[in-house]
Amino acid sequence: MVGSGHEAKVTLAKQVVTGRLGDHPWDAEIIKDAAIVSDDGICKWIGPRDDLPDEYWAVDGGVESGCVVPGLVDAHTHLVFGGDRYDDFEKRSQGKSYAEIAASGGGIKRTVELTRNATWESLQDGLVRRAFQAKLAGTRLVEVKSGYGLEHDAEIRLLDAANSLLPHMPRTVTYLGLHAIPEGRTKEDYMDEVFRRTLPEIHKRKLADAVDIFVEDGYYNADDARRLAQAAKQYGLDLRMHVDQFGDHGGARLAAELGAKTADHLEYTGDDGIRALADAGVIPVLLPASVFGLGLSKYPDARKMIEAGLPVVLATDCNPGSSPTLSLPMVMAIACRYMKMTPMEALVACTRNAARALNLEHEFGTIEVGKRAAFHVLPEPDYRSLACWF
Ligand code: NIG
Ligand code: FE
């Protein structure tokens, strides 16, 4: 027994990527033949195993692992929903577009219908099962959005479900009330409910850490986003925004104007938008699995964003429609191939930068003394295996 009276644990690995900063913003420290000591879920010591302090020598380190990297952080998911979208998937396989499928009864609205009709138990079961699958793929912290309720009670229920994930996985919760316009209501009427009823209740019950909005033709516009930004400020919530997914609508510039914490998607964002994000300090969250998932080929320009000095984040966008994946390594695999991010850039984007996008960099994102002992252990002794294998 060492330290706080809990059993200390020693993890041995041929290679450990601590993720601590190197000389360059995208470098991360790598230690060969390393040992990590954790106790009570907190990292207590890390270094070359030959330097392991005497007090830990008696602790059995078990079998040596190949490589240990910081636990992956998924900074953008729609993890809580009912039903499935296999009909959409089949239509897409026959060449129908996202917009065509949405117009013919599929899309977000279909999931809204299935989510409203789902029992509490089935919602929670699905959420926990998906979180467990994500954990197998290396995720140790997840952001969960609501957005498939689109009416007061249904959205509150999704936020309650998202919050209930905690015993299974650390999470942060985002209210995406402005995801689509609910069937049978005007936008004005629904937005009234969002601002007068749902947001005050979220604030009172501390149900979310951030708000989000889908800015796109047929969904919400710049003025709606301005109104949401005001409320976010009033309630002390971070602002996240789905922007420029299917066209350059000036979404990145809008996110910069509104002081958003993150601007997510950005497939169509051009040079001026990238510059605006950099000037305003908005973190870009890129979701290439949704491009792949929709069978499209226009990926966001990660290279230009990195050149502009932006701390690019990669996330799954896990949802039943555009991005049915729980695997951040799959996202990294796509980013390295189609966006020409290096394996190290992809790893930093899913760990250190992602934790920062969620305001949890003091606990997650790197392997450092005092932070959570949330690691991902790989069989291969080389971190590049993570993005290479898919
Ligand atoms: O991030 N863009 C809007 N929302 C999701 C898609 C949700 C869905 O298709 O159900 C996204 O891709
Ligand atoms: Fe999304």
Side-chain angles (χ1 to χ4, degrees):
M1 298 287 249
V2 187
S4 61
H6 294 84
E7 198 98 19
K9 198 173 160 242
V10 174
T11 305
L12 302 172
K14 290 200 166 62
Q15 181 187 68
V16 171
V17 180
T18 70
R20 289 186 294 209
L21 278 177
D23 296 335
H24 184 273
W26 291 92
D27 279 350
E29 176 193 50
I30 297 177
I31 304 176
K32 269 177 70 178
D33 299 319
I36 308 170
V37 180
S38 50
D39 193 353
D40 198 18
I42 302 293
C43 183
K44 296 289 178 193
W45 187 89
I46 177 160
R49 92 182 46 160
D50 290 347
D51 300 345
L52 189 69
D54 292 350
E55 58 188 303
Y56 299 119
W57 278 29
V59 181
D60 180 8
V63 180
E64 183 188 52
S65 309
C67 176
V68 173
V69 300
L72 307 181
V73 175
D74 198 343
H76 181 137
T77 83
H78 307 252
L79 210 61
V80 55
F81 58 84
D84 64 63
R85 293 262 287 283
Y86 301 133
D87 289 345
D88 288 20
F89 178 62
E90 185 163 358
K91 283 181 188 153
R92 201 170 303 117
S93 78
Q94 295 162 327
K96 295 268 184 295
S97 73
Y98 188 78
E100 284 168 332
I101 291 167
S104 65
I108 295 171
K109 282 182 186 162
R110 177 77 185 128
T111 299
V112 169
E113 192 183 318
L114 295 167
T115 303
R116 286 179 183 171
N117 291 332
T119 62
W120 169 256
E121 287 71 29
S122 72
L123 269 184
Q124 254 203 333
D125 281 358
L127 174 64
V128 171
R129 177 175 54 77
R130 286 187 285 273
F132 186 72
Q133 275 178 265
K135 200 168 177 179
L136 290 178
T139 300
R140 296 291 177 270
L141 167 65
V142 68
E143 185 255 18
V144 182
K145 298 179 196 298
S146 68
Y148 291 120
L150 303 188
E151 63 188 9
H152 180 81
D153 290 344
E155 283 293 317
I156 296 289
R157 190 167 80 128
L158 291 178
L159 294 170
D160 279 331
N163 279 297
S164 77
L165 188 59
L166 189 57
H168 305 281
M169 187 182 288
R171 75 335 176 217
T172 155
V173 176
T174 300
Y175 170 51
L176 174 55
L178 303 184
H179 194 194
I181 296 151
E183 205 62 13
R185 289 178 76 174
T186 65
K187 190 168 92 175
E188 290 64 36
D189 173 47
Y190 175 60
M191 284 182 69
D192 250 24
E193 179 181 289
V194 165
F195 287 94
R196 288 177 207 268
R197 195 164 167 221
T198 311
L199 277 164
E201 180 163 341
I202 288 168
H203 175 65
K204 204 167 108 205
R205 291 186 50 212
K206 295 189 171 37
L207 290 177
D209 310 293
V211 292
D212 198 339
I213 179 171
F214 184 25
V215 180
E216 184 65 43
D217 290 346
Y219 294 81
Y220 292 91
N221 63 33
D223 284 338
D224 304 331
R226 288 193 183 96
R227 193 170 163 199
L228 185 66
Q230 277 279 317
K233 208 170 183 180
Q234 179 190 342
Y235 293 124
L237 299 167
D238 278 330
L239 176 64
R240 309 188 184 284
M241 298 171 68
H242 284 70
V243 287
D244 297 342
Q245 182 179 8
F246 297 118
D248 185 357
H249 306 300
R253 287 194 303 275
L254 182 65
E257 171 200 318
L258 299 180
K261 178 80 191 182
T262 65
D264 303 40
H265 274 293
L266 306 173
E267 284 85 342
Y268 282 85
T269 303
D271 291 354
D272 57 335
I274 292 174
R275 213 171 311 117
L277 293 178
D279 289 345
V282 180
I283 300 176
V285 178
L286 309 184
L287 312 166
S290 69
V291 181
F292 176 82
L294 292 173
L296 303 173
S297 55
K298 180 135 178 73
Y299 287 94
D301 199 337
R303 285 263 50 98
K304 274 206 178 129
M305 295 181 200
I306 291 170
E307 274 162 35
L310 284 161
V312 168
V313 173
L314 291 168
T316 61
D317 195 19
C318 172
N319 74 73
S322 64
S323 194
T325 181
L326 293 153
S327 170
L328 277 169
M330 180 66 194
V331 172
M332 295 164 70
I334 296 171
C336 291
R337 286 163 177 86
Y338 295 116
M339 293 150 67
K340 297 292 174 261
M341 290 177 75
T342 67
M344 183 55 89
E345 285 168 344
L347 179 61
V348 169
C350 287
T351 53
R352 193 167 75 208
N353 292 355
R356 190 173 148 194
L358 300 180
N359 294 318
L360 287 167
E361 65 269 34
H362 52 289
E363 284 189 78
F364 292 92
T366 60
I367 304 176
E368 288 185 68
V369 172
K371 286 199 188 184
R372 298 251 200 145
F375 318 134
H376 183 36
V377 179
L378 311 174
E380 298 265 325
D382 190 320
Y383 74 90
R384 293 173 297 183
S385 61
L386 194 54
C388 179
W389 285 83
F390 60 91

